[in-house]
Structures are given as structure tokens and as C-alpha cells.
Amino acid sequence: MKNRAFLPFCRPAMHLALTALLSLAGTGLRAAEVNLALVATPSTSYVSPHETITALNDGFTPAHSDDKRHGAYGNWPRTGTQWVQYDWSQPIATRRIEVYWFDDRRGVRLPRACRLLYWNGTEFVPVPEAAGLGLEAGKFNVTTFPEIKTTRLRLEMEGQEKFSTGLLEWRVLDSGNSPNFPPRVTAGPDRVVVQPGRTYLEGVARDDGKVVPSPTVRWMKASGPGRVIFEKDTQAATTARFSAPGEYVLRFTAHDGAAESRDTLRVWAEPPPPAQALEWLPPQPYQITSPFWRPRLKALTLNWLPHCIAKIEDPATREGGLENFVQAANKLAGKPGARHIGPVFANAWVYNTLESICLALMVDPGNDADWRAGQERLRQTLEKWIPLILAAQEPDGYLHTQYTIENRKRWSNKHDHEGYLAGYFIGAALAHHRLTEGRDTRLYDAAKKLADCWVRHIGPPPKRPWYEGHQELEQTLARFAWYVDHVEGPGKGRPYFELARYLLDARDGGEEYDQSHVPVIRQYEAVGHAVRASYSYSAMADVAIATHDPDYLSAVQSLWHNLVHCKYYVTGGIGSGETSEGFGKNYSLPNASYCESCAGCGMVFFQHKMQRLWHQGRYADVMEDTLYNAVLGSVDLEAQNFTYTNPLDSSAARYKWHGCPCCVGNIPRTLFLLPTWMYTLGRDAVYVNLYAGSVVTLPHVAGAPLRLEQTTDYPWQGQVTLTVQPAARRTFAVHLRVPNRQTSLLYTNTPPCAEVLRVAVNGKPVKATVRDGYVSLRRAWQPGDRVELELPLPVQRIKADDRIVANRGRVALRRGPLIYNVESVDQNLESALAPATPLNAEWRPDLLGGVVVIKGTWANGAPLLAIPNYARLNRGGRSMVWMREP
Ligand code: FUB
Ligand code: ZN
């Protein structure tokens, strides 16, 4: 029936006779034509999370039906009838529309029928005598009809059986009787500018082209403490500098000869960071005594890594593993029959697991015999894997098993993860070199050979200009450059850093999806795929650390602000999943969130570097939240199962494996790097960013190694003892982080908590002044000096910014760094929690391996029990962060 209803509207595309009118360069439009779609508001029955409705009327002229350079509208995986619609603020008059269908030859195909409807003031009715309604790929399908006047047009499309539909562009041409529309203007995202740098302004003014063909634009200062110096205030794309620090509002105005529109953006002009960034602590042996972390790391060693190893070693694993290296080596040896298994990035879990093994072997398990035996098994794996992996490396250093097996043309498809895999390999090699204290150079040498291969080939002409679709090599090369300098002497790592920077600087003219839509230094809003974004921002922070380039400083600071203050989940997770595995708009944070585990890892890397750059605790605040919730919660308590996504409201159990196992090795490598996250180093200073019972030796503080022993039951209890063990008496500063539990402006906690209850040295209380999130103790330290610290751990109620629609009328709970969940196995989740109800923390050794729970009473009088978010969904049922308030 449905099909028949469509038939009258679906005729072969009409070929319009070309008029003598000139074409507007690149658009296919003729000079006198006005595309009213540009000033319409688009909507739809459904848009795929990884597509966008705004692609419909962005004025782009696609080159073919899968040309997604400017995004696409698609309704995958929905099938059947779907619609897209334009709304205008005043009635328009039209006789013609032009439609460019989207067809990716996969889930989205050309429709089998379409029809055009208009709003007659009461309802949508078919546009009479519509001729055309073509369904052809690779062109604008023109439909003409006697003039209609309306405020809304709707295009319905009927998909082919099993397939979804989509459009790249939909134009609506003015018949000459439409009114003039004022321009639609967008000033751009709010941002930070690090002084004395500039900000890149990219205002957008879209007009119907009436009165004058294009509007005149102007930038001006609306408010702010100093002068604003625009490079050219009459250009939409220009730059601005600021004479004094503070908050500014800039106004962008467009005038089309008759009507004017305006939009504003905010700029925070901030002072530059300290001249010297803090150093990182590379992987190295450590003891973990923390009652909280010890069982976690042990379970990863005894359960999770062996499980990953078994999957990777099993040639039947459909996602691919070690077998790909065997096959690539066969190919290199000229043996026939090699074939590649799994996605193009199938080497990733091998390398991440290899790195995790190396890191797991750096943990001193004390006298735990089981743990030691587990490490011994990991060591054997390492010895088995290394020769197999190295045999797959091509003679010139290139390493990517699918490329070798299939003789693919290198650096020809940015989505093939060549750099992503190279980066993960180099990271694993660095960890292995640290594990063996430089004695075994097999992987290190191979990593250099691989990096050198990239350095030889990739770069500005005469090398090959290139950027990678999935950033990872960028941040690893920056780390590797530092490490090579450290191992081989200053300057030896320089080419690797330069390549890292080049790979970032080369991004432009691509898509938001992989953060290549504009040059990275002009990116101020977190967009696209969240893992790629976090790796990209992390690598940008590396460049900022090494160069203090003002554009890089402004960009990373702006991205941090946008991420943390507009797109950040209270668990420290990122990526709502509203775009392909990526971000939605500001404040769009549905609780059925994506929050991929790899994106949590990327957040930790990014925050760590921002802390090194700015020496401020707020970055460690975010890092701690992400580590204790988003990342730690991605494996279950026994480390038998993991989860790819980390929604804040879910009934989905964790699982053993995934069709895209990118996170399986990334999670443990991030957790095993705990000492790296805990400490950052100044020349005569150490920053204590995290608290965990452990013994770690820092290679140099005030010119000599420094052993730090933390004794604490944090995060269950707030007392921390830090025993400082320099080899001999030395003067340096110990900066102790005082956590601020509400660094993100999206969330407000009651009671607030950003203080320290007590600081003492050798039993003597000292005055604790908190600056930039740290209490600083500078003195001549003797071996055995003891610092005591007491952090408050109140139960806090969290309210979300009202712009987060999903959490209106809801409340969440926190204690210390831990966010809490309520679970259906303990109570009815439809109940509400009244604002004044007392809440208490209680240690429950019998529950979930031993946790502090939060207890209270629901509004209906039933008992409330909340457990830490990381321990969620270990007992089945549903688990959620945000509870209803009455
Ligand atoms: O592309 C490699 C990884 O696969 C990404 O980081 C994940 O989001 C998944 O798409
Ligand atoms: Zn992942």
C-alpha cells in the first residue's frame, strides 16, 4: 500500500534545459538564483548519531553521492519512510527544488521513491504537479512545480528494502516572490586566548543573496577590560588580540543592505603558563601498597592480560591478533597464501597488550607468589611475541601487517590507521626499553626504524604531505622524541618531535570527525570522534609544552574549557555518541552516553599534559575523576570482562570481547601507568597529583633521585602519609594536590569541597595555603621526613547545569574522587531522593570486594544504597548515576 501511495510522485528525473545564465563558481547554481535553504531551519524524522541534519543546507556542492567532506544527513539504521523538513521565519515562494542524494553503498542507498509536501497553514499536503523527484546518484535531482507559498517544505523518502536513506544537500530556489531574509550569523565558539597571542575569528554569515549578493560584516568589541585589536574588522575570518587579561565579548554583525543580524562570542584572555613545563615520569618499577589499587592491578595481571593474550594468540579470533604478524612475515619471506584478519587497525590490541605486559612487569608484587607467577607467564609471552612482531617489519622499517600482506599503497588512505598503529607500537617499545632498563633494545631499535621510515617519507614537499585519520602517532612521537634525547643525547629525538608537529599542522580541509576541518591551532570546540579528539588535544599539548607556541597554547586551553565546561560527564567520561563515536553539542549529555573507554584513556593523557604545562591542580582534578570512574569502571572487579562504552544509565553487563576491541589493551596500559599520573617533576620540585599507597623513585629532584613512599587508604579514607627519602639532605618543594571536586562548571556540589583539613611535617602542623590547587612545602628535606595530609571526604550531592536537559530534576552523589551509582539489585530506581535527606558513608567489607557505600532514605521511606561507579553492574540489573528528585 505504502509503495503505491508513493508512485504518483516518483518519476524519472527531468532533464532541465540549461539556460544561458552563468554558473556560480563551484555551486552549480546560476547567477540570479537564490537558494532559500540557506536561511531555513532543517529538521528530520530521524538522523543517525554519526550524521548531521545541518549538512542539508550548508551550501556545499558535492562531487559524488558519497562525498561526506561537509557531512551528510542519513537515517541509518532506520528503514522505511523518513522525512527532512525546512522551516522559514516568513513565507517563501518557490517553483523548484534540487536534491543531492547520499549513497554510501553500504547501509545508506538511494531511495526508491520520494515526494514533496508543503505546509498549507494547517497540514502538510503534496506539492501539486511536482515534476522530477529524481532518484539518481552523483547529481542534483531537479523537481519543478507551479509556484507555492509556504513556511515549511517537507521531503519524504521511502528507502529500498533493508536500506536507509540520506541527503548531502537540498536546495530550494526562490521564484522571485520571496521576501528578503536577514542574514543568519554565527560568531563561533567561546574560547581562551593565551596572551600575548591572538584568537582566530571565523564568523559565518549566510544570506539569501537578496538586496545585495553578499552581506557586509563587522567585528567589534561589545565588552571587556582592555582594547581589542582586530586584524581586519570587516572580514568574517580575521584575528584579534587583547591588551589586557579578562573576559571579553565580541560581536559579529552582518548586514545584507536591508536587514542586520548579530551574534556574540566570549573570549577569556589569560596569562601564559610558567616558562618551564613540568617533566613526566616515564614508566619504571614501583611498589603498590594501596588497598584500593593493589587488587585492581593484581586482577589485571592475573586475569585480564592473560585473557587478552589468549584472544590475541588464537588464530580463530575474528578481529585478528598475532596471526597477522605471522602472515605478514610469511609474505615478506615470499611464502604464498598470506591473508589478513580483522579490521585495518587489528595490530592495535597486540601493541597495547604488549605495552600493558611491560608495564605490569614493572609492578613489584612483594611476597605475593600468585602475582609473581602470573608475571612470569607474562614474561614468557613477551619473549614469544617480540620475534614474531619484529619478523613482520618491512626492511625499511615500515610496520602495518595488512599493508604488508596486501601490498597496499602506503599513505594513500588516511582512515587506514597507519599512524595509529605506528604510535601504539612505538609506545610499547618505549615501555619495553624501560622494563629492561635499556638492556634489550630489540623493540626500541625497531621503533626507531619505524619512526625513521615515517620521517624519511612524510612531511612538507619534497616529502609526502600527509595527516593521519586517527591521531596517536602524534602524541607518541612527542614522548618518543623526549625519550630518545634522554637515551641517546640532546637533539637525537628532534626529527620525531618535528614529525609529530608536522602531522598536527598538516590537518586542514577535512572533517570534524577526525579534527581536520580547520588547522588545529584554530580549533576551539571539541568536535568529532572523541578518542581521536582526546589524542589530538593531548598531542597538541605536547607541542605546547615543547614550544610554548601561543597559538597552540590558546587552542589547547580553549579545547580544555569547552571539553570540561560544556561536554564533560560527571564520571570524567567524554563523547555523548551523538556524532560518530563522538561529541554532541554543548550541554548535550544524555545519560545513555557513549563515553568510550579509549576516550577516557585519552582524557587522562590530555589532562596529564595540561597539568605539566600549567602546573595547576584543576587538570589533575579532571584526570583523577576520569581515572577513578570512567577508566576504572570499564573493567569488572575481577578483571574478567570489560566494556567499550560507559553509559551513566545502563543495564548492559560487561563482556569478554568486542567486535572492535580497541579498548582491551588501552585500559590496562592506562591503569598500570599510575605513577606517571601521580607525579610530575620540576627542576627542584615534585608535584603530587594523586594519592595511592605506593613506593616510587623519581629519577631526579634537585639533582638526585628521590624515593617517595605514600601510605594511605585513599580514596576510602582521607589520611595520607608521604615519607620523603632523598639520598641525602636536599632542598626542594613538594606540592601536594588539594582536590577540588567541582572543577567542571557543569556541576555544583553540596557541600563544596576544595580544602585540606591538616598538613603536618614530622608531626608539626604547617600552615596550608592552597595555590593553584596545591599546598607547597619548600624546605631542606632529610631522609625519612614525614608529611601528613588529611583530605576531607564528605558525601556530596551534585546538581547539573540546567542546560543539561537529561539531568534536570536529578541529583548524583560523590565522595572524594568517586561518583556513586544506585543499582536496581538494591532498590527501586524509580524512587526519588529528597534534597535534605541525610546521607552517610559506611565501609562495607563484604560488598564488591570492599567498598564505602553511601546510605540514606528514598523519599518514599525505603532505604537507599549507592555504590562506587567503578564497581557498577557487577551484580546484574540496572545501574545509574543520576537519581530523580521529588
Ligand atoms: O579506530 C580505532 C578505534 O576503533 C577508535 O579509537 C574507536 O573509537 C573505534 O572506532
Ligand atoms: Zn576503544
Side-chain angles (χ1 to χ4, degrees):
M1 282 305 287
K2 218 184 228 167
N3 292 347
R4 203 171 304 147
F6 268 85
L7 282 174
F9 304 98
C10 175
R11 303 197 201 130
M14 254 182 52
H15 184 78
L16 281 190
L18 279 179
T19 70
L21 288 172
L22 286 175
S23 272
L24 287 180
T27 68
L29 281 175
R30 288 157 303 173
E33 293 184 315
V34 168
N35 177 11
L36 294 162
L38 297 178
V39 288
T41 304
S43 58
T44 177
S45 54
Y46 179 74
V47 59
S48 316
H50 55 286
E51 314 287 17
T52 171
I53 185 66
T54 56
L56 272 193
N57 61 338
D58 60 4
F60 180 58
T61 300
H64 51 80
S65 275
D66 194 17
D67 184 354
K68 291 179 68 180
R69 279 174 297 162
H70 286 221
Y73 159 77
N75 46 51
W76 185 86
R78 302 256 171 111
T79 53
T81 306
Q82 302 292 334
W83 53 260
V84 290
Q85 181 176 316
Y86 283 148
D87 282 50
W88 287 270
S89 55
Q90 333 170 52
I92 55 122
T94 179
R95 292 196 196 96
R96 190 165 107 240
I97 65 160
E98 299 178 353
V99 173
Y100 210 114
W101 298 110
F102 169 38
D103 182 345
D104 65 4
R105 306 303 301 156
R106 296 190 302 273
V108 179
R109 300 291 176 93
L110 296 173
R112 66 175 169 192
C114 68
R115 69 175 185 166
L116 185 64
L117 306 146
Y118 78 102
W119 184 252
N120 68 5
T122 329
E123 59 180 340
F124 278 105
V125 294
V127 170
E129 299 174 52
L133 292 167
L135 305 171
E136 287 186 48
K139 60 180 280 201
F140 274 103
N141 292 268
V142 176
T143 298
T144 55
F145 38 85
E147 183 181 78
I148 52 161
K149 289 201 167 154
T150 186
T151 53
R152 292 179 192 166
L153 274 182
R154 182 178 280 192
L155 183 64
E156 280 186 1
M157 49 265 176
E158 170 88 351
Q160 300 179 49
E161 200 187 344
K162 294 198 306 214
F163 292 110
S164 308
T165 48
L167 289 94
L168 295 178
E169 195 72 22
W170 174 20
R171 296 171 177 162
V172 176
L173 289 313
D174 178 23
S175 59
N177 298 316
S178 302
N180 175 47
F181 283 85
R184 300 187 67 166
V185 296
T186 317
D190 296 341
R191 76 278 309 272
V192 176
V193 62
V194 175
Q195 287 193 304
R198 65 202 149 167
T199 194
Y200 292 86
L201 298 167
E202 278 160 285
V204 177
R206 291 204 322 190
D207 194 31
D208 55 5
K210 290 190 169 221
V211 189
V212 292
S214 54
T216 54
V217 299
R218 182 173 288 275
W219 284 100
M220 64 191 79
K221 172 184 146 182
S223 65
R227 275 188 319 123
V228 180
I229 306 105
F230 295 97
E231 194 185 347
K232 190 129 202 229
D233 62 357
T234 53
Q235 270 179 7
T238 188
T239 63
R241 292 180 188 272
F242 303 81
S243 69
E247 182 177 338
Y248 294 77
V249 175
L250 304 186
R251 182 181 303 137
F252 179 60
T253 312
H255 201 286
D256 73 355
E260 185 182 279
S261 308
R262 53 178 56 180
D263 189 23
T264 56
L265 61 79
R266 284 184 300 170
V267 182
W268 293 272
E270 288 187 359
Q276 194 65 44
L278 301 173
E279 276 192 17
W280 71 300
L281 179 65
Q284 58 161 36
Y286 63 99
Q287 290 172 31
I288 189 84
T289 53
S290 156
F292 183 88
W293 281 100
R294 207 175 150 77
R296 300 273 84 75
L297 299 187
K298 179 176 174 180
L300 289 168
T301 306
L302 295 190
N303 298 335
W304 186 246
L305 289 178
H307 165 66
C308 292
I309 291 166
K311 290 293 286 184
I312 287 168
E313 289 187 349
D314 181 354
T317 296
R318 284 183 13 209
E319 295 73 30
L322 214 51
E323 182 64 13
N324 283 326
F325 291 87
V326 175
Q327 295 298 332
N330 284 345
K331 177 73 187 246
L332 289 175
K335 295 185 192 156
R339 80 183 175 92
H340 181 266
I341 308 164
V344 71
F345 50 95
N347 300 159
W349 28 105
V350 181
Y351 298 149
N352 280 174
T353 303
L354 184 68
E355 181 173 352
S356 297
I357 292 173
C358 296
L359 300 173
L361 290 176
M362 287 190 229
V363 181
D364 176 356
N367 52 13
D368 188 320
D370 284 352
W371 196 336
R372 270 189 195 285
Q375 284 184 322
E376 196 38 50
R377 291 190 290 274
L378 294 184
R379 209 178 294 281
Q380 285 163 15
T381 299
L382 203 55
E383 289 314 312
K384 177 173 162 195
W385 282 17
I386 290 173
L388 292 175
I389 292 170
L390 294 184
Q393 186 169 31
E394 300 202 19
D396 70 348
Y398 189 79
L399 182 57
H400 186 309
T401 60
Q402 185 159 11
Y403 267 52
T404 301
I405 291 168
E406 296 172 4
N407 276 333
R408 286 202 187 178
K409 188 168 179 292
R410 297 176 188 174
W411 302 297
S412 59
N413 179 350
K414 70 167 178 171
H415 295 300
D416 273 2
H417 295 69
E418 292 169 270
Y420 175 78
L421 296 182
Y424 279 165
F425 176 72
I426 294 167
L430 195 157
H432 179 253
H433 198 254
R434 297 290 302 170
L435 170 68
T436 62
E437 291 171 349
R439 284 187 294 273
D440 183 341
T441 64
R442 284 174 297 167
L443 288 177
Y444 176 85
D445 292 342
K448 269 188 73 185
K449 216 169 147 191
L450 171 58
D452 287 338
C453 174
W454 276 74
V455 166
R456 270 195 312 279
H457 290 279
I458 300 301
K463 295 187 191 178
R464 186 179 183 79
W466 180 254
Y467 70 84
E468 158 79 18
H470 196 315
Q471 306 88 323
E472 158 60 20
L473 183 56
E474 297 78 352
Q475 59 166 343
T476 309
L477 278 178
R479 191 160 89 234
F480 193 58
W482 178 92
Y483 190 63
V484 171
D485 269 3
H486 177 78
V487 172
E488 300 186 22
K492 297 285 188 210
R494 189 76 206 166
Y496 309 127
F497 174 76
E498 277 165 11
L499 175 60
R501 180 167 187 167
Y502 169 77
L503 288 168
L504 288 169
D505 285 342
R507 306 185 92 73
D508 191 13
E511 314 132 272
E512 286 192 348
Y513 173 68
D514 62 7
Q515 298 77 37
S516 63
H517 50 303
V518 291
V520 294
I521 54 164
R522 284 167 28 203
Q523 296 185 19
Y524 302 128
E525 181 180 357
V527 293
H529 185 277
V531 184
R532 292 167 202 246
S534 60
Y535 286 17
S536 195
Y537 308 157
S538 168
M540 288 166 67
D542 282 320
V543 173
I545 285 172
T547 64
H548 268 228
D549 180 307
D551 284 346
Y552 267 90
L553 289 171
S554 296
V556 288
Q557 192 56 271
S558 300
L559 290 163
W560 187 86
H561 269 253
N562 180 255
L563 201 52
V564 173
H565 299 321
C566 302
K567 302 195 178 188
Y568 178 76
Y569 282 95
V570 74
T571 54
I574 54 165
S576 65
E578 292 160 288
T579 56
S580 187
E581 303 195 283
F583 299 101
K585 301 238 176 290
N586 288 348
Y587 313 107
S588 183
L589 293 164
N591 288 318
S593 43
Y594 202 76
C595 291
E596 183 180 335
S597 302
C598 285
C601 299
M603 265 302 259
V604 172
F605 309 152
F606 179 38
Q607 302 310 321
H608 173 242
K609 289 165 194 176
M610 293 296 273
Q611 191 277 335
R612 290 172 53 204
L613 196 45
W614 260 275
H615 307 197
Q616 288 177 9
R618 59 181 175 163
Y619 308 105
D621 291 335
V622 175
M623 178 173 76
E624 183 179 47
D625 280 357
T626 307
L627 195 66
Y628 274 88
N629 301 289
V631 180
L632 193 58
S634 61
V635 274
D636 63 13
L637 293 175
E638 294 301 321
Q640 304 271 14
N641 299 283
F642 89 109
T643 174
Y644 185 103
T645 59
N646 294 273
L648 278 71
D649 183 348
S650 173
S651 303
R654 295 179 189 79
Y655 28 77
K656 294 235 165 280
W657 202 245
H658 193 278
C660 174
C662 53
C663 319
V664 300
N666 210 2
I667 300 164
R669 79 170 176 143
T670 307
L671 295 173
F672 277 116
L673 276 171
L674 190 59
T676 296
W677 315 135
M678 285 170 72
Y679 298 112
T680 44
L681 315 175
R683 191 175 307 149
D684 57 357
V686 54
Y687 283 74
V688 185
N689 299 312
L690 299 178
Y691 300 103
S694 57
V695 180
V696 178
T697 300
L698 310 179
H700 57 85
V701 174
L706 171 66
R707 183 176 145 108
L708 289 176
E709 299 166 9
Q710 281 196 36
T711 312
T712 177
D713 196 11
Y714 186 86
W716 304 132
Q717 296 191 35
Q719 293 81 6
V720 181
T721 301
L722 180 73
T723 308
V724 180
Q725 302 280 22
R729 182 187 152 100
R730 272 184 199 280
T731 300
F732 54 87
V734 175
H735 301 284
L736 302 162
R737 176 171 153 257
V738 176
N740 177 356
R741 305 295 181 196
Q742 61 173 53
T743 289
S744 168
L745 299 175
L746 290 173
Y747 306 105
T748 308
N749 300 345
T750 311
C753 175
E755 55 175 356
V756 55
L757 298 177
R758 176 173 170 269
V759 182
V761 178
N762 296 330
K764 263 207 198 140
V766 293
K767 192 162 171 273
T769 311
V770 183
R771 237 185 97 210
D772 287 337
Y774 294 89
V775 167
S776 300
L777 306 174
R778 177 174 291 281
R779 50 182 274 141
W781 296 95
Q782 305 271 13
D785 277 348
R786 275 162 42 104
V787 179
E788 287 157 290
L789 175 76
E790 188 172 348
L791 299 169
L793 295 173
V795 173
Q796 296 178 293
R797 284 182 150 81
I798 311 172
K799 290 295 291 176
D801 186 302
D802 218 36
R803 287 168 288 189
I804 304 178
V805 177
N807 297 335
R808 283 187 194 152
R810 292 187 175 267
V811 60
L813 301 178
R814 164 197 276 279
R815 182 173 179 271
L818 300 177
I819 297 298
Y820 275 72
N821 276 39
V822 282
E823 306 216 298
S824 62
V825 288
D826 298 313
Q827 59 239 304
N828 175 1
L829 299 185
E830 294 316 315
S831 314
L833 175 61
T837 317
L839 295 166
N840 300 306
E842 182 183 306
W843 172 245
R844 282 280 303 273
D846 56 316
L847 188 65
L848 297 163
V851 288
V852 168
V853 296
I854 295 176
K855 290 175 92 169
T857 309
W858 294 101
N860 63 7
L864 176 151
L865 181 82
I867 54 117
N869 172 270
Y870 78 83
R872 70 188 186 272
L873 291 168
N874 274 274
R875 301 170 296 161
R878 177 179 169 200
S879 191
M880 65 186 203
V881 172
W882 292 96
M883 288 162 270
R884 219 163 47 75
E885 282 190 319

